[in-house]
Amino acid sequence: MILHPKVVELVRERGWRGLNEIQVEASEYIAKGYNVLIVAPTGYGKTEAAVLPIMSRILYEGAKPIAVVYVTPLRALINDITRRLREWGDRLGIVVARRHSDISKAEKKLRMKRVPHIIVITPEGLEIELDWAHKFRRFYRNVRWVVIDEVHDLVGTKRGAQLALLISRLRAFTGRDLQIVMLSATVGNPPAVARYFVGSSKRPLKIITSSARKPMEVTLRLVDEDWESMAKAVAELMEPPTIVFVNSRYFGERLREELERLGIRNVMVHHSSVSKELREESERLLKEGRVAGVIATKTLELGIDVGYVKKVVVMGSPAQVQTFLQRIGRSGHTMGEAMRGAVIVWHPVQLLEALALLHLAEQGVLEEPDTGYAPLDVVARMLVGSLLKSEPVRLEELYEIVRGSGPYSSMSREEFSRLVELLKRGRLLEVADGRVRAGPRFYTIWRFEHERRWGGHGFTEFFTFISSLPEFVVRTSDGREVGKLDAHYVFRYLRSDDVIRLAGRSWRVVRIDDRLYTVEVEEGGEGGEVPLWRGDTARRSGIVAKQMARLLEEVCRGALRVPFAEVLKAVADRYLSEVGAHPSASVVIRERVNGYTVYTLLADERVVEALGLMLLYRLSSEEGLGVEVKTSHVGLAVKTGHPDPLSMLLSLSRVELEELALESVKRSPYFRMKLRELAPSFGVRDDDEDLAVEALRQLQHEYYDFV
């Protein structure tokens, strides 16, 4: 029997008629010892598909704690997952514990006395456990299984690379070929994603997907570009309980304000700058059916338990198919039930993009993650962190750990040696007789909180790759946290007695403390200004841009009937009458508008950014400071004396273009920021040549596509 009799008994007690096809297949292959990637929509019981066969193996084989590391990308998911696993584990004698910064000291002490069989943790938490928790770390020698939830949110990112290295470290630490089980509702190129995390594992791999595709019922609504029209459309389309997804924190707060003007107050706001307590309150009220809906950014895209969601409303285009499916997939939480939603747009380009997303989603075409992204600062911190509470280690052992991870499997010995030399130069590593230990400079860069100097780096920051801009904490006079504000916004715009909107409410500013980075507020005040936050952007993917071009072509030929086709055809006809063509995958429209040469093109936004950057550098070098280049999601506008700057750029040879790309990135506003971001990880000054090479490589991955 694959499942242990005690597990089977619990399944029957729950009134289940049995396991579904995903759970049956997963149980079979997990029992056989395969590494497994399970891809299935929300509501298909992926968590149970992974955990029930593993719990059965724990019971059958008497596995010692810690037997399972259950990794989730969001700290907010830890409590939900822990609760779900304990519902099974408590009845089976399997101890489940959680690890995050908010748990009490009593709970931390308890796990030393009652070591858990399953620990639920984030990548950052696991890094701290292996690097710093020297007393508890010994229990990780017993690990046999690693479960990775919401795997699509990690793959191809620095946090994903960090986790891949941690799995390789665990493999070396335990001396076992750990069994890896990965879960996702949506992911492009599943085999590549699986290989990214299993690394050097010798186990066979099985990818499990549902044979039935979940039906999708999505409508489109085109409205006027004003807040009242948008809010009225939301009010008409909501069917409680509803999640309304927006692309920025500003948009969420502003939409909530407009709904309030329409007399709709039974809606809450959920985003990363709302305090944890208020986010949890909105999740609970939505789950209990006590609010009509919640306006959310990506904070509710992943599997936080908010109960049954009848409908999802998406404001504007989320720009990527995977994001679109994650959002729509929060509705229809049972097998066979349709995902129900609506997309509200207010511009023809948004309309075309939304149609492209719908078509790609229906065809099951998703963006493929960049599994080749291998940032060196992640390896640097792994090398240093693994030595903080350790005796000197042979360099060859560390190299094998790095090579054992998916993202760094092709790193040569020469590349590894150059990285070690860079860390030696930064005095973060010391090497003697082929053995390496942590260098003396670590604690001067990464300081404990009570030792921090102005502008220094906190010790806990070393373990995380979650980037964050400086923020002010907003609190009431009794210390209750409301949320966070961007420091740039506070310094530039905010004053005492101002009224702001945050967490869907109005707050009057009582005082601002720029030393402690706090803003004291009291509830109330008329109206209120919606704050601005940096970093709230979604970039259109290449496959969406290509699909937009195909759809526009078919609409123009009358070969495709889609909602609001007449709107798109009118735009295309205007281009045809004025310039003789419309934008497509192979056609760029050039126009002269108010002294600018304007190029309209349908492309990946990183391509547009790369073109804009190269044009700005080249033209500024020739003409001076009078040149202007502005980029957007539909193209770029150039103010220059050259009649056709893009043609000039494309006439350059490949070698000239490569040199231009390199020089232009060095003058990008992001270059200095990236140098400052990376320097602490290597311990060197931000003018180091090797650091500059890595900064350029990462910028080309994150912002610019020159290929």
Side-chain angles (χ1 to χ4, degrees), residues 223-236 244-262 264 269 295 315-316 344-346 350 528-533:
V223 300
D224 292 334
E225 193 173 353
D226 63 77
W227 286 105
E228 184 179 0
S229 298
M230 295 177 200
K232 284 181 176 178
V234 170
E236 291 169 11
V244 181
F245 279 109
V246 295
N247 289 331
S248 72
R249 289 167 283 187
Y250 173 86
F251 198 108
E253 295 285 355
R254 184 67 182 82
L255 179 61
R256 173 62 178 79
E257 181 183 29
E258 199 63 38
L259 286 170
E260 193 174 299
R261 287 178 181 160
L262 296 176
I264 301 169
V269 178
I295 301 169
M315 299 298 296
I344 299 174
V345 295
W346 47 91
Q350 277 187 340
E529 179 181 76
V530 177
L532 297 172
W533 287 274

Side-chain angles (χ1 to χ4, degrees), residues 110-402:
L110 180 62
R111 69 178 192 158
M112 289 294 293
K113 297 177 181 177
R114 193 166 180 247
V115 182
H117 295 88
I118 302 175
I119 190 160
V120 186
I121 200 165
T122 61
E124 295 75 26
L126 183 57
E127 182 81 56
I128 293 171
E129 295 278 88
L130 295 184
D131 289 357
W132 197 249
H134 60 285
K135 290 183 179 178
F136 192 71
R137 181 171 53 195
R138 69 181 188 273
F139 296 112
Y140 281 93
R141 287 196 187 277
N142 299 324
V143 171
R144 296 171 57 180
W145 297 274
V146 176
V147 180
I148 310 172
D149 205 357
E150 307 285 1
V151 72
H152 62 275
D153 197 58
L154 292 168
V155 65
T157 68
K158 287 191 178 184
R159 298 180 73 214
Q162 178 185 31
L163 178 57
L165 285 168
L166 288 167
I167 291 171
S168 187
R169 279 180 67 185
L170 274 175
R171 194 180 290 125
F173 188 59
T174 62
R176 296 187 186 90
D177 189 357
L178 304 175
Q179 188 174 11
I180 315 298
V181 180
M182 298 151 280
L183 313 176
S184 181
T186 57
V187 69
N189 196 347
V193 170
R195 289 193 296 269
Y196 182 91
F197 288 109
V198 302
S200 62
S201 173
K202 300 297 188 292
R203 293 176 180 269
L205 172 66
K206 178 64 179 178
I207 295 168
I208 297 173
T209 58
S210 172
S211 60
R213 183 171 292 174
K214 200 166 187 179
M216 184 167 59
E217 299 173 4
V218 179
T219 59
L220 269 175
R221 177 75 67 91
L222 179 63
V223 300
D224 292 334
E225 193 173 353
D226 63 77
W227 286 105
E228 184 179 0
S229 298
M230 295 177 200
K232 284 181 176 178
V234 170
E236 291 169 11
L237 290 166
M238 281 180 64
E239 297 177 30
T242 293
I243 299 177
V244 181
F245 279 109
V246 295
N247 289 331
S248 72
R249 289 167 283 187
Y250 173 86
F251 198 108
E253 295 285 355
R254 184 67 182 82
L255 179 61
R256 173 62 178 79
E257 181 183 29
E258 199 63 38
L259 286 170
E260 193 174 299
R261 287 178 181 160
L262 296 176
I264 301 169
R265 298 177 179 274
N266 199 21
V267 175
M268 299 189 76
V269 178
H270 191 290
H271 57 69
S272 60
S273 291
V274 172
S275 71
K276 179 174 73 75
E277 291 74 20
L278 290 177
R279 289 200 307 270
E280 289 177 350
E281 180 187 8
S282 63
E283 293 161 18
R284 177 175 53 80
L285 293 177
L286 186 66
K287 188 174 182 178
E288 294 172 357
R290 293 167 58 190
V291 292
V294 171
I295 301 169
T297 57
K298 67 174 295 180
T299 50
L300 281 184
E301 276 178 22
L302 302 184
I304 294 174
D305 184 10
V306 292
Y308 177 76
V309 175
K310 189 172 184 180
K311 191 174 186 179
V312 166
V313 176
V314 178
M315 299 298 296
S317 167
Q320 298 187 7
V321 188
Q322 185 156 294
T323 304
F324 173 72
L325 281 174
Q326 282 292 133
R327 293 181 175 186
I328 293 295
R330 292 313 309 266
S331 64
H333 214 275
T334 57
M335 283 184 63
E337 185 180 1
M339 300 181 286
R340 296 184 64 245
V343 182
I344 299 174
V345 295
W346 47 91
H347 189 278
V349 174
Q350 277 187 340
L351 172 63
L352 182 59
E353 192 167 277
L355 285 168
L357 289 170
L358 273 168
H359 277 246
L360 291 169
E362 288 168 352
Q363 296 164 18
V365 179
L366 300 174
E367 291 85 6
E368 293 192 8
D370 185 0
T371 53
Y373 182 45
L376 290 182
D377 52 324
V378 180
V379 186
R381 289 204 211 173
M382 186 282 287
L383 295 175
V384 175
S386 65
L387 298 166
L388 291 177
K389 290 282 187 177
S390 167
E391 295 297 316
V393 176
R394 288 193 310 111
L395 266 176
E396 200 59 37
E397 290 179 30
L398 293 175
Y399 177 56
E400 289 305 316
I401 288 173
V402 174

Side-chain angles (χ1 to χ4, degrees), residues 64-113:
K64 296 179 181 179
I66 298 171
V68 184
V69 176
Y70 193 115
V71 182
T72 172
L74 279 184
R75 191 174 69 175
L77 285 171
I78 288 179
N79 292 342
D80 278 345
I81 292 168
T82 302
R83 176 185 54 76
R84 287 179 66 182
L85 298 188
R86 281 176 177 168
E87 288 174 358
W88 297 94
D90 288 352
R91 299 285 303 278
L92 298 169
I94 293 173
V95 180
V96 181
R98 55 188 180 158
R99 200 280 178 209
H100 59 68
S101 58
D102 292 334
I103 62 175
S104 65
K105 289 183 179 179
E107 189 172 345
K108 288 178 182 176
K109 287 182 179 178
L110 180 62
R111 69 178 192 158
M112 289 294 293
K113 297 177 181 177

